[in-house]
Amino acid sequence: MTNLTSIVGKLFLSRQKKIDLHHHYEAELTQRRVLTHLLERARQTEYGSRHCFSSTKGYEDFVRNVPVNTYEELKDDIDRMRHGEADVLWPGRVRWYAKSSGTTNDKSKFIPVSDEGLQRIHYQGGKDVVALYLRNNPESRMFDGRGLILGGSHSPNYNVSGSLVGDLSAILIENINPLANLIRVPKKQTALLSDFEVKRDRIARECLNKNVTNLSGVPSWMLSVLVRVMELSGKQHLEEVWPNLEVFFHGGIAFTPYRSQYEQLITSPRMHYMETYNASEGFFGIQSDPTDSAMLLMLDYDVFYEFVPMDSVDGDGHITDSSRVVPLWGVEMNKNYAMLISTSCGLWRYMIGDTVMFTNKNPYKFIITGRTKYFINAFGEELIMDNAEKGLAYACRQTGAEVLDYTAAPVFMDEHAKCRHQWLIEFAKAPEDMGLFARLLDEHLQSVNSDYEAKRFHDITLQPLEVIVARTGLFNDWLKAKGKLGGQHKIPRLSNSRKHIDELLGMMGDKQ
């Protein structure tokens, strides 16, 4: 039988070589070229005129002429674009807007997605995921079957003709090359349904008897679909339903809390997992080595990167010292940075809200450490999401527990004048000894974070953390109540505020 994948794979050979060239030998040069291209394309836009793009000759001029921006600074310009104005942040009229909950003061933010950004950032990222996967797995047969791709939904953007707003995944499915529909499931109208609970069942039924070889999506929502597939099939393991399943391309949220559940669901030794860093704002990283959890920063898309040390970012996610912002070639390894991007979607020195740490500089590889607003620093402990994920993974390994969802926040002072961290955790498999689980989590957080360890010393500043077991379905019910079930919406994992955790605790007795 013809191996279609081996034929298709040859189309990626030149790209595989180009990726190596850019990352090992031309990283700084490549990024400088990207910046020059972006400035040239946007010099006649309103934003380009206001910030002297025509006379900006390099990175140093760019820093002098263009301020660092959060969504709030660009919001008015983006809203004008959504109403149909052209040549504002990017040349021409932008028709697509990716809706993201993000970490802004608004309920939602709307990220412009230009035609160039769609092709030269988002779709290029998708192609490179396949290129790197096939290089690592030359025996792959993924194109000999179907890819199950999860998507969100979209809706009209104001009353502007031909303009839509929605999840990035829905925008990608809406604009995908028609040939790709021959090798993907479910059908387009199912993929774009807005009601996730209805969509989940329809996807499972449509895909049940297909030859699915690869999965793409957010781990939490994909797991929900796969559980429904298992319910309908009556099988024990997913490879009994799809014997040729070989890879899950995942992104959007950390995979660590879900890994054990996937490994129980899929026991095939041929199964691979490949992380991607694709957000509403762009496609930034790919796990290029299956033995290394760090991702390769993609340098030759329409994305110019800058980084600011997290000790120059305040608790509201704003930069306190812009002089410390550095380009890619100025980063240090093992240092926590907030990431800024400039892109062909009209985002300029835009603070995306994610934090990263570089583990290698040749090539540039990094891990996502959290969000600029998703951390707890109520008592000087500087607990970040990377710490939380490692602590939970350790406690789960030691106790056999499985975490489904969680959030954590500080208890500033209880009736005994004691302070602590409070964790609300929904378990797929609860530990037999919850006290042991909490102690192991607390101890491991101290081992990976010296600031947390110092604050926990002799229980003087912080008492031992508290774990509250969430009822089944609590986090999904909370998202549903906010109209955020499905798509790329995320649970806020860590917060200095008790707003989210108190809302969740208030729903503990509800059954929706």
Side-chain angles (χ1 to χ4, degrees):
M1 184 172 63
T2 302
N3 183 345
L4 180 61
T5 307
S6 66
I7 298 171
V8 175
K10 294 176 182 177
L11 301 176
F12 292 94
L13 292 176
S14 62
R15 179 58 186 166
Q16 292 164 353
K17 295 176 182 177
K18 196 171 184 180
I19 291 172
D20 287 340
L21 177 67
H22 286 158
H23 287 81
H24 286 283
Y25 305 106
E26 298 181 350
E28 179 178 344
L29 177 61
T30 298
Q31 274 287 279
R32 288 188 182 274
R33 284 173 175 165
V34 167
L35 179 60
T36 299
H37 166 74
L38 295 174
L39 292 170
E40 174 62 27
R41 285 287 292 120
R43 63 188 177 88
Q44 294 185 339
T45 62
E46 286 188 30
Y47 195 86
S49 298
R50 290 201 303 264
H51 296 287
C52 308
F53 281 13
S54 293
S55 59
T56 299
K57 302 303 180 185
Y59 177 66
E60 292 71 21
D61 284 351
F62 181 61
V63 170
R64 280 191 293 270
N65 295 338
V66 182
V68 171
N69 293 297
T70 63
Y71 183 77
E72 284 76 15
E73 279 81 48
L74 298 180
K75 179 182 173 182
D76 289 344
D77 283 336
I78 291 174
D79 200 54
R80 290 171 54 208
M81 294 165 67
R82 289 185 62 202
H83 279 90
E85 292 191 43
D87 304 319
V88 180
L89 293 172
W90 190 251
R93 178 170 162 260
V94 176
R95 298 173 298 151
W96 294 94
Y97 296 87
K99 185 178 180 181
S100 171
S101 54
T103 56
T104 71
N105 295 325
D106 293 325
K107 181 179 178 181
S108 299
K109 58 183 180 180
F110 300 89
I111 306 301
V113 182
S114 68
D115 290 340
E116 282 177 76
L118 200 59
Q119 298 298 328
R120 294 168 63 99
I121 302 175
H122 294 290
Y123 285 141
Q124 187 59 56
K127 293 173 186 175
D128 285 350
V129 170
V130 175
L132 292 172
Y133 175 73
L134 293 180
R135 182 171 69 179
N136 291 331
N137 300 278
E139 302 303 315
S140 170
R141 301 292 293 264
M142 65 174 287
F143 286 110
D144 294 76
R146 303 289 190 92
L148 168 51
I149 302 175
L150 289 191
S153 60
H154 58 61
S155 57
N157 171 47
Y158 291 133
N159 292 314
V160 179
S161 176
S163 183
L164 295 171
V165 61
D167 292 318
L168 173 69
S169 53
I171 293 172
L172 296 176
I173 289 173
E174 184 66 49
N175 291 281
I176 200 168
N177 187 314
L179 292 176
N181 288 320
L182 300 176
I183 55 171
R184 60 165 292 276
V185 287
K187 58 188 178 183
K188 186 174 176 180
Q189 52 266 49
T190 299
L192 297 177
L193 284 171
S194 58
D195 187 323
F196 180 74
E197 291 170 308
V198 172
K199 176 158 64 177
R200 170 181 180 261
D201 183 68
R202 290 192 186 177
I203 290 174
R205 292 181 185 279
E206 285 183 28
C207 299
L208 191 60
N209 297 312
K210 297 291 194 297
N211 178 25
V212 174
T213 60
N214 59 99
L215 311 171
S216 299
V218 177
S220 54
W221 306 126
M222 181 63 77
L223 184 62
S224 180
V225 170
L226 299 183
V227 167
R228 183 59 182 147
V229 168
M230 299 305 294
E231 290 170 351
L232 291 172
S233 70
K235 305 293 186 182
Q236 271 196 304
H237 299 111
L238 198 60
E239 62 266 31
E240 297 176 70
V241 182
W242 299 323
N244 297 313
L245 182 65
E246 61 176 82
V247 60
F248 177 27
F249 303 112
H250 59 85
I253 60 175
F255 189 55
T256 304
Y258 303 96
R259 180 176 288 277
S260 64
Q261 294 170 72
Y262 274 90
E263 290 175 347
Q264 288 182 30
L265 188 63
I266 309 166
T267 60
S268 169
R270 297 184 294 106
M271 186 64 185
H272 304 280
Y273 299 91
M274 190 170 178
E275 186 171 9
T276 65
Y277 181 13
N278 53 326
S280 298
E281 295 86 351
F283 200 119
F284 310 122
I286 300 171
Q287 185 182 4
S288 58
D289 180 352
T291 66
D292 183 359
S293 61
M295 287 182 279
L296 190 68
L297 190 71
M298 307 313 291
L299 303 181
D300 63 338
Y301 301 174
D302 277 359
V303 182
F304 180 77
Y305 300 98
E306 295 175 274
F307 303 88
V308 57
M310 272 302 290
D311 57 8
S312 290
V313 179
D314 66 20
D316 293 321
H318 294 106
I319 296 175
T320 57
D321 185 359
S322 60
S323 69
R324 299 190 66 201
V325 176
V326 296
L328 178 65
W329 53 92
V331 300
E332 300 173 26
M333 288 196 297
N334 303 314
K335 188 170 185 176
N336 207 24
Y337 290 100
M339 190 164 78
L340 313 180
I341 58 171
S342 299
T343 78
S344 59
C345 292
L347 301 177
W348 299 103
R349 305 196 77 195
Y350 178 82
M351 196 168 185
I352 187 175
D354 289 333
T355 61
V356 301
M357 182 180 293
F358 285 90
T359 62
N360 199 309
K361 293 173 69 172
N362 185 28
Y364 284 93
K365 299 184 80 172
F366 68 97
I367 59 172
I368 300 172
T369 55
R371 300 280 292 176
T372 55
K373 291 189 179 182
Y374 286 2
F375 61 87
I376 304 178
N377 194 30
F379 313 102
E381 64 274 46
E382 297 189 24
L383 191 76
I384 61 175
M385 279 174 57
D386 185 59
N387 304 152
E389 298 290 347
K390 287 176 179 175
L392 286 170
Y394 175 78
C396 284
R397 283 197 306 271
Q398 298 301 313
T399 63
E402 296 175 7
V403 171
L404 194 60
D405 265 314
Y406 73 93
T407 192
V411 174
F412 293 98
M413 193 173 291
D414 62 16
E415 65 273 18
H416 304 294
K418 301 295 186 181
C419 304
R420 65 186 181 279
H421 287 183
Q422 189 176 65
W423 292 67
L424 180 61
I425 304 176
E426 182 178 344
F427 290 94
K429 179 183 177 184
E432 291 184 6
D433 186 338
M434 194 61 66
L436 174 62
F437 180 92
R439 180 170 61 80
L440 291 170
L441 172 58
D442 190 66
E443 290 174 353
H444 201 71
L445 292 177
Q446 293 180 57
S447 74
V448 298
N449 183 321
S450 59
D451 292 312
Y452 182 79
E453 181 183 34
K455 299 303 179 291
R456 284 283 295 109
F457 183 69
H458 287 178
D459 299 348
I460 295 172
T461 303
L462 278 177
Q463 303 298 300
L465 63 81
E466 173 191 13
V467 172
I468 298 176
V469 179
R471 65 167 173 80
T472 302
L474 176 65
F475 288 92
N476 276 0
D477 288 346
W478 183 76
L479 287 172
K480 186 178 180 181
K482 292 181 172 294
K484 294 181 177 181
L485 189 64
Q488 293 181 301
H489 299 295
K490 308 176 183 74
I491 299 293
R493 300 303 196 190
L494 305 176
S495 177
N496 270 334
S497 162
R498 290 193 55 83
K499 178 178 183 295
H500 301 307
I501 199 168
D502 282 343
E503 288 178 353
L504 284 154
L505 288 170
M507 297 176 65
M508 280 283 279
D510 299 342
K511 296 289 182 181
Q512 296 192 8

